Coordinates of all heavy atoms in Angstrom, one line a residue:
M1 N 0.8 -1.2 0.0 CA 0.0 0.0 0.0 C 0.9 1.2 0.0 O 1.8 1.3 0.8 CB -0.9 -0.1 1.2 CG -1.5 1.3 1.6 SD -2.9 1.2 2.8 CE -2.1 1.0 4.3
K2 N 0.6 2.2 -0.8 CA 1.4 3.5 -0.9 C 0.7 4.4 0.1 O -0.5 4.6 0.0 CB 1.4 4.0 -2.3 CG 2.4 3.3 -3.1 CD 2.8 4.2 -4.3 CE 3.8 3.5 -5.2 NZ 5.1 3.8 -4.9
I3 N 1.5 5.1 0.9 CA 1.0 6.1 1.8 C 2.0 7.2 1.9 O 3.1 7.1 1.5 CB 0.7 5.5 3.2 CG1 2.0 5.0 3.8 CG2 -0.3 4.4 3.2 CD1 1.9 4.7 5.3
H4 N 1.5 8.4 2.4 CA 2.3 9.5 2.5 C 3.3 9.3 3.7 O 2.9 8.8 4.7 CB 1.5 10.8 2.8 CG 2.3 12.1 2.7 ND1 2.9 12.6 3.9 CD2 2.5 12.9 1.7 CE1 3.5 13.7 3.5 NE2 3.3 13.9 2.2
I5 N 4.5 9.8 3.6 CA 5.5 9.5 4.6 C 5.1 10.2 6.0 O 5.6 9.7 7.0 CB 6.9 10.0 4.1 CG1 8.0 9.5 5.1 CG2 6.9 11.5 4.1 CD1 9.3 9.5 4.5
G6 N 4.3 11.2 5.9 CA 3.8 11.8 7.2 C 3.0 10.8 8.1 O 2.9 11.1 9.3
S7 N 2.5 9.8 7.5 CA 1.7 8.8 8.2 C 2.5 7.7 8.8 O 2.0 6.8 9.5 CB 0.6 8.2 7.3 OG -0.2 9.2 6.9
I8 N 3.8 7.7 8.6 CA 4.7 6.6 9.1 C 5.2 7.0 10.5 O 5.5 8.1 10.8 CB 6.0 6.5 8.2 CG1 5.6 6.3 6.7 CG2 6.9 5.4 8.7 CD1 5.0 5.0 6.4
K9 N 5.3 6.0 11.4 CA 5.7 6.2 12.8 C 7.2 6.7 12.8 O 8.0 6.2 12.0 CB 5.7 4.9 13.5 CG 4.4 4.6 14.1 CD 4.6 3.5 15.1 CE 3.7 2.3 14.8 NZ 3.9 1.2 15.8
E10 N 7.5 7.6 13.7 CA 8.9 7.9 13.9 C 9.7 6.7 14.3 O 9.2 5.8 15.0 CB 9.0 8.9 15.1 CG 8.8 10.4 14.6 CD 9.2 11.3 15.8 OE1 10.4 11.5 16.1 OE2 8.3 11.8 16.4
G11 N 10.9 6.6 13.8 CA 11.8 5.5 14.1 C 11.7 4.4 13.1 O 12.5 3.5 13.2
T12 N 10.8 4.4 12.2 CA 10.6 3.4 11.2 C 11.7 3.4 10.2 O 12.1 4.5 9.7 CB 9.3 3.5 10.5 OG1 8.2 3.4 11.5 CG2 9.1 2.4 9.4
I13 N 12.4 2.3 9.9 CA 13.4 2.3 8.9 C 12.8 2.1 7.5 O 11.9 1.2 7.3 CB 14.4 1.1 9.2 CG1 15.0 1.2 10.6 CG2 15.5 1.1 8.1 CD1 15.8 2.4 10.9
L14 N 13.2 3.0 6.6 CA 12.6 3.0 5.3 C 13.7 2.8 4.2 O 14.8 3.1 4.4 CB 12.0 4.4 5.0 CG 11.0 4.9 6.0 CD1 10.7 6.4 5.7 CD2 9.7 4.1 6.0
H15 N 13.2 2.2 3.1 CA 14.1 2.0 2.0 C 13.3 2.5 0.8 O 12.3 2.0 0.4 CB 14.6 0.6 1.8 CG 15.5 0.5 0.6 ND1 16.9 0.8 0.7 CD2 15.3 0.1 -0.7 CE1 17.4 0.7 -0.4 NE2 16.5 0.2 -1.3
F16 N 13.8 3.6 0.1 CA 13.2 4.1 -1.1 C 13.7 3.3 -2.3 O 14.9 3.0 -2.4 CB 13.6 5.6 -1.3 CG 13.0 6.5 -0.2 CD1 13.7 6.8 0.9 CD2 11.7 7.0 -0.4 CE1 13.2 7.6 1.9 CE2 11.2 7.8 0.6 CZ 11.9 8.1 1.7
P17 N 12.9 2.8 -3.2 CA 13.3 1.9 -4.3 C 14.4 2.5 -5.1 O 15.2 1.7 -5.7 CB 12.0 1.8 -5.1 CG 10.9 2.3 -4.3 CD 11.5 3.2 -3.2
N18 N 14.5 3.8 -5.3 CA 15.5 4.3 -6.2 C 16.8 4.8 -5.4 O 17.6 5.6 -6.0 CB 15.0 5.5 -7.0 CG 14.4 6.6 -6.1 OD1 14.1 6.4 -5.0 ND2 14.3 7.8 -6.7
S19 N 17.0 4.3 -4.2 CA 18.1 4.8 -3.4 C 18.9 3.5 -2.9 O 18.3 2.5 -2.6 CB 17.6 5.6 -2.2 OG 18.7 5.9 -1.4
V20 N 20.2 3.7 -2.8 CA 21.0 2.6 -2.2 C 21.1 2.7 -0.7 O 21.6 1.8 0.0 CB 22.4 2.6 -2.8 CG1 22.4 2.4 -4.3 CG2 23.1 3.9 -2.4
Y21 N 20.5 3.8 -0.1 CA 20.6 4.0 1.3 C 19.3 3.6 2.1 O 18.2 3.6 1.5 CB 20.8 5.5 1.6 CG 22.1 6.0 1.0 CD1 22.1 6.9 0.0 CD2 23.3 5.6 1.6 CE1 23.3 7.3 -0.6 CE2 24.5 6.1 1.1 CZ 24.5 7.0 0.0 OH 25.7 7.4 -0.5
D22 N 19.4 3.4 3.3 CA 18.3 3.2 4.2 C 18.1 4.5 5.0 O 19.1 5.2 5.3 CB 18.5 2.1 5.2 CG 18.4 0.7 4.5 OD1 17.6 0.6 3.6 OD2 19.2 -0.2 4.8
Y23 N 16.9 4.8 5.4 CA 16.5 6.0 6.1 C 15.7 5.7 7.3 O 15.0 4.7 7.4 CB 15.7 7.0 5.2 CG 16.5 7.4 3.9 CD1 16.6 6.6 2.8 CD2 17.1 8.6 3.9 CE1 17.3 7.0 1.7 CE2 17.8 9.0 2.8 CZ 17.9 8.2 1.7 OH 18.6 8.6 0.6
M24 N 15.7 6.6 8.3 CA 14.8 6.5 9.4 C 13.9 7.7 9.4 O 14.3 8.9 9.3 CB 15.6 6.5 10.7 CG 14.7 6.4 12.0 SD 15.5 6.5 13.5 CE 16.5 5.0 13.5
K25 N 12.6 7.4 9.6 CA 11.6 8.5 9.7 C 11.7 9.2 11.0 O 11.8 8.6 12.1 CB 10.2 7.9 9.6 CG 9.0 8.8 10.0 CD 8.9 10.0 9.1 CE 7.6 10.8 9.2 NZ 7.1 11.2 10.4
V26 N 11.8 10.5 11.0 CA 11.9 11.3 12.2 C 11.1 12.6 12.1 O 10.5 12.9 11.1 CB 13.4 11.8 12.4 CG1 14.3 10.6 12.6 CG2 13.9 12.6 11.2
C27 N 11.0 13.3 13.2 CA 10.4 14.6 13.3 C 11.3 15.5 14.0 O 12.0 15.1 15.0 CB 9.0 14.6 14.1 SG 7.7 14.0 13.1
D28 N 11.5 16.8 13.6 CA 12.3 17.7 14.3 C 11.6 18.3 15.5 O 10.5 18.0 15.8 CB 12.9 18.8 13.4 CG 11.9 19.8 12.9 OD1 10.8 19.8 13.4 OD2 12.3 20.5 12.0
R29 N 12.2 19.2 16.2 CA 11.7 19.8 17.4 C 10.4 20.5 17.2 O 9.6 20.7 18.1 CB 12.7 20.8 18.0 CG 13.9 20.1 18.6 CD 14.8 21.2 19.1 NE 16.1 20.7 19.1 CZ 17.2 21.3 19.3 NH1 17.1 22.6 19.6 NH2 18.4 20.8 19.2
N30 N 10.2 21.0 16.0 CA 9.0 21.7 15.6 C 7.9 20.9 15.1 O 6.9 21.4 14.6 CB 9.3 22.8 14.6 CG 10.3 23.8 15.2 OD1 10.2 24.2 16.4 ND2 11.4 24.1 14.4
G31 N 8.1 19.5 15.0 CA 7.1 18.6 14.5 C 7.1 18.5 13.0 O 6.2 17.9 12.4
V32 N 8.2 19.0 12.4 CA 8.3 18.8 10.9 C 8.9 17.5 10.6 O 10.0 17.1 11.1 CB 9.2 20.0 10.3 CG1 9.4 19.8 8.8 CG2 8.6 21.3 10.6
G33 N 8.2 16.7 9.8 CA 8.7 15.3 9.5 C 9.7 15.3 8.5 O 9.9 16.3 7.7
G34 N 10.5 14.2 8.5 CA 11.5 14.0 7.5 C 12.2 12.7 7.7 O 11.6 11.8 8.4
V35 N 13.3 12.5 7.0 CA 14.1 11.2 7.2 C 15.5 11.6 7.4 O 16.0 12.6 7.1 CB 13.9 10.4 5.9 CG1 12.5 9.9 5.7 CG2 14.4 11.1 4.7
V36 N 16.2 10.6 8.0 CA 17.7 10.7 8.2 C 18.3 9.6 7.5 O 17.9 8.4 7.6 CB 18.1 10.7 9.7 CG1 19.6 10.6 9.9 CG2 17.5 11.9 10.5
N37 N 19.3 9.9 6.6 CA 20.0 8.9 5.9 C 20.9 8.2 7.0 O 21.7 8.8 7.6 CB 20.9 9.6 4.8 CG 21.7 8.6 4.0 OD1 22.3 7.7 4.6 ND2 21.7 8.8 2.7
L38 N 20.7 6.9 7.1 CA 21.5 6.2 8.2 C 22.9 6.0 7.9 O 23.7 5.7 8.8 CB 20.8 4.8 8.4 CG 19.4 4.9 8.9 CD1 18.8 3.5 9.1 CD2 19.3 5.6 10.3
S39 N 23.4 6.2 6.6 CA 24.8 6.1 6.3 C 25.5 7.4 6.5 O 26.7 7.4 6.9 CB 25.0 5.6 4.9 OG 24.5 4.3 4.7
T40 N 24.8 8.5 6.1 CA 25.5 9.8 6.2 C 25.1 10.7 7.3 O 25.7 11.7 7.6 CB 25.3 10.5 4.8 OG1 23.9 10.9 4.8 CG2 25.7 9.7 3.6
G41 N 23.9 10.4 7.9 CA 23.4 11.3 9.0 C 22.7 12.5 8.4 O 22.2 13.3 9.2
L42 N 22.5 12.6 7.1 CA 21.9 13.8 6.5 C 20.4 13.8 6.8 O 19.7 12.8 6.6 CB 22.1 13.8 5.0 CG 21.4 14.9 4.2 CD1 22.0 16.2 4.6 CD2 21.5 14.6 2.7
Y43 N 19.8 14.9 7.3 CA 18.4 15.0 7.6 C 17.8 15.6 6.3 O 18.3 16.6 5.8 CB 18.2 15.9 8.8 CG 16.7 16.3 8.9 CD1 15.8 15.5 9.4 CD2 16.3 17.6 8.5 CE1 14.4 15.9 9.5 CE2 15.0 18.0 8.6 CZ 14.1 17.1 9.1 OH 12.7 17.5 9.2
I44 N 16.7 15.1 5.9 CA 16.0 15.6 4.7 C 14.5 15.8 5.2 O 13.8 14.8 5.5 CB 16.0 14.7 3.5 CG1 17.4 14.3 3.1 CG2 15.3 15.3 2.3 CD1 17.5 13.2 2.1
S45 N 14.0 17.0 5.1 CA 12.6 17.3 5.5 C 11.7 16.7 4.5 O 12.1 16.5 3.3 CB 12.4 18.8 5.7 OG 12.4 19.4 4.4
T46 N 10.5 16.4 4.9 CA 9.5 15.8 3.9 C 9.3 16.7 2.7 O 9.2 16.2 1.6 CB 8.2 15.7 4.7 OG1 8.4 14.8 5.8 CG2 7.1 15.0 3.8
S47 N 9.3 18.0 2.9 CA 9.1 18.9 1.8 C 10.3 18.9 0.8 O 10.2 19.3 -0.4 CB 8.9 20.3 2.2 OG 10.0 20.8 3.0
D48 N 11.5 18.4 1.2 CA 12.7 18.4 0.4 C 12.9 17.0 -0.3 O 13.9 16.9 -1.0 CB 13.9 18.9 1.1 CG 13.9 20.3 1.4 OD1 13.2 21.1 0.7 OD2 14.6 20.8 2.3
L49 N 12.1 16.0 0.0 CA 12.4 14.7 -0.5 C 12.4 14.6 -2.0 O 13.3 14.0 -2.5 CB 11.3 13.7 0.0 CG 11.4 13.3 1.5 CD1 10.1 12.5 1.9 CD2 12.6 12.5 1.7
E50 N 11.5 15.3 -2.7 CA 11.5 15.2 -4.1 C 12.7 15.9 -4.7 O 13.2 15.4 -5.8 CB 10.2 15.8 -4.7 CG 9.0 14.9 -4.3 CD 7.7 15.3 -5.0 OE1 7.8 16.1 -5.9 OE2 6.7 14.8 -4.5
K51 N 13.3 16.9 -4.1 CA 14.5 17.6 -4.5 C 15.7 16.6 -4.5 O 16.6 16.7 -5.2 CB 14.8 18.8 -3.7 CG 13.9 19.9 -3.8 CD 14.2 21.0 -2.9 CE 13.1 22.1 -2.8 NZ 13.4 23.1 -1.7
E52 N 15.6 15.6 -3.5 CA 16.7 14.6 -3.4 C 16.4 13.4 -4.2 O 17.1 12.4 -4.1 CB 16.8 14.2 -1.9 CG 17.2 15.4 -1.0 CD 18.6 15.9 -1.3 OE1 19.5 15.0 -1.6 OE2 18.8 17.1 -1.1
G53 N 15.3 13.4 -5.0 CA 15.0 12.3 -5.9 C 14.2 11.2 -5.1 O 14.2 10.0 -5.6
L54 N 13.6 11.5 -4.0 CA 12.9 10.5 -3.2 C 11.4 10.9 -3.2 O 11.1 12.1 -3.2 CB 13.4 10.5 -1.8 CG 14.9 10.2 -1.6 CD1 15.4 10.4 -0.2 CD2 15.2 8.8 -2.1
S55 N 10.5 10.0 -3.1 CA 9.1 10.3 -3.1 C 8.5 10.4 -1.7 O 8.9 9.7 -0.8 CB 8.4 9.2 -3.9 OG 7.0 9.4 -3.8
Q56 N 7.5 11.3 -1.6 CA 6.7 11.4 -0.3 C 5.8 10.2 -0.2 O 5.3 10.0 0.9 CB 6.0 12.7 -0.3 CG 6.9 13.9 -0.1 CD 6.1 15.2 0.0 OE1 5.0 15.2 0.4 NE2 6.8 16.3 -0.2
M57 N 5.4 9.6 -1.3 CA 4.5 8.4 -1.2 C 5.3 7.2 -1.4 O 6.1 7.0 -2.3 CB 3.5 8.5 -2.4 CG 2.6 9.7 -2.4 SD 1.6 9.8 -0.9 CE 0.4 8.5 -1.2
I58 N 5.2 6.3 -0.3 CA 6.1 5.1 -0.4 C 5.2 3.9 -0.1 O 4.2 4.0 0.5 CB 7.2 5.2 0.6 CG1 6.7 5.4 2.1 CG2 8.2 6.4 0.3 CD1 7.8 5.2 3.1
D59 N 5.8 2.7 -0.5 CA 5.2 1.5 -0.1 C 5.5 1.2 1.4 O 6.6 1.4 1.8 CB 5.7 0.3 -0.9 CG 5.3 0.4 -2.4 OD1 4.1 0.7 -2.6 OD2 6.1 0.1 -3.3
C60 N 4.4 0.8 2.1 CA 4.6 0.6 3.5 C 3.7 -0.5 4.0 O 2.5 -0.6 3.6 CB 4.3 1.9 4.2 SG 4.5 1.9 6.0
H61 N 4.1 -1.2 5.0 CA 3.2 -2.2 5.7 C 2.3 -1.4 6.6 O 2.7 -0.4 7.2 CB 4.1 -3.2 6.5 CG 5.0 -4.0 5.7 ND1 4.6 -4.9 4.8 CD2 6.3 -3.9 5.6 CE1 5.6 -5.5 4.2 NE2 6.7 -4.9 4.7
V62 N 1.1 -1.9 6.8 CA 0.1 -1.2 7.6 C 0.5 -0.9 9.0 O 0.3 0.1 9.6 CB -1.3 -1.9 7.5 CG1 -2.3 -1.3 8.4 CG2 -1.8 -1.9 6.1
E63 N 1.3 -1.9 9.6 CA 1.7 -1.7 11.0 C 2.7 -0.6 11.2 O 2.9 -0.2 12.4 CB 2.2 -3.1 11.6 CG 3.5 -3.5 10.9 CD 3.3 -4.5 9.7 OE1 2.1 -4.6 9.3 OE2 4.2 -5.1 9.3
E64 N 3.2 -0.1 10.2 CA 4.2 1.0 10.3 C 3.5 2.4 10.3 O 4.2 3.4 10.4 CB 5.2 1.0 9.2 CG 6.1 -0.3 9.3 CD 7.0 -0.5 8.1 OE1 6.7 0.2 7.0 OE2 7.9 -1.2 8.2
T65 N 2.2 2.5 10.1 CA 1.6 3.8 10.0 C 1.2 4.3 11.4 O 0.8 3.5 12.3 CB 0.3 3.7 9.1 OG1 -0.6 2.8 9.7 CG2 0.7 3.3 7.7
S66 N 1.2 5.6 11.6 CA 0.9 6.1 12.9 C -0.6 6.1 13.1 O -1.0 6.1 14.3 CB 1.4 7.6 13.0 OG 0.9 8.4 12.0
Y67 N -1.4 6.1 12.1 CA -2.9 6.1 12.3 C -3.4 4.7 12.6 O -4.6 4.5 12.9 CB -3.6 6.7 11.1 CG -3.4 6.1 9.8 CD1 -4.0 4.9 9.4 CD2 -2.5 6.7 8.8 CE1 -3.8 4.3 8.2 CE2 -2.3 6.1 7.6 CZ -2.9 4.9 7.3 OH -2.7 4.3 6.1
N68 N -2.5 3.7 12.6 CA -2.9 2.4 12.9 C -3.0 2.1 14.4 O -3.5 1.1 14.8 CB -2.0 1.4 12.1 CG -2.5 0.0 12.2 OD1 -3.7 -0.3 12.0 ND2 -1.6 -1.0 12.4
N69 N -2.3 2.9 15.2 CA -2.2 2.7 16.6 C -3.3 3.4 17.4 O -3.7 4.4 17.2 CB -0.9 3.0 17.1 CG 0.2 2.1 16.5 OD1 0.0 1.0 16.4 ND2 1.3 2.7 16.2

């Protein structure tokens, strides 16, 4: 199922199909969602994902969504 990354729980490890890296879903102090590249430590806000060649809509298991709890 494809869902918006904002619906993913913080701490979930993600792999985007067009990337060699794994990422962790996070939120910053202001509640702005994004991901951290686990290899480089680079934080990418949700609004900047497409600039980095990553999609805001990803395949995800239902148990990883925040609205499922």
Side-chain angles (χ1 to χ4, degrees):
M1 162 164 77
K2 282 202 183 263
I3 61 170
H4 189 273
I5 195 161
S7 298
I8 306 289
K9 278 195 234 177
E10 273 191 74
T12 300
I13 305 300
L14 307 169
H15 182 80
F16 294 92
N18 59 339
S19 177
V20 297
Y21 299 109
D22 288 320
Y23 298 83
M24 181 184 292
K25 168 64 170 46
V26 297
C27 282
D28 69 12
R29 293 180 205 170
N30 300 316
V32 176
V35 296
V36 172
N37 182 314
L38 295 177
S39 295
T40 66
L42 176 68
Y43 169 77
I44 305 168
S45 69
T46 303
S47 61
D48 289 337
L49 284 173
E50 291 186 15
K51 294 177 191 172
E52 297 293 326
L54 306 171
S55 176
Q56 292 184 19
M57 299 299 290
I58 61 169
D59 287 320
C60 183
H61 299 290
V62 174
E63 66 269 11
E64 295 172 341
T65 62
S66 60
Y67 59 77
N68 190 42
N69 293 323

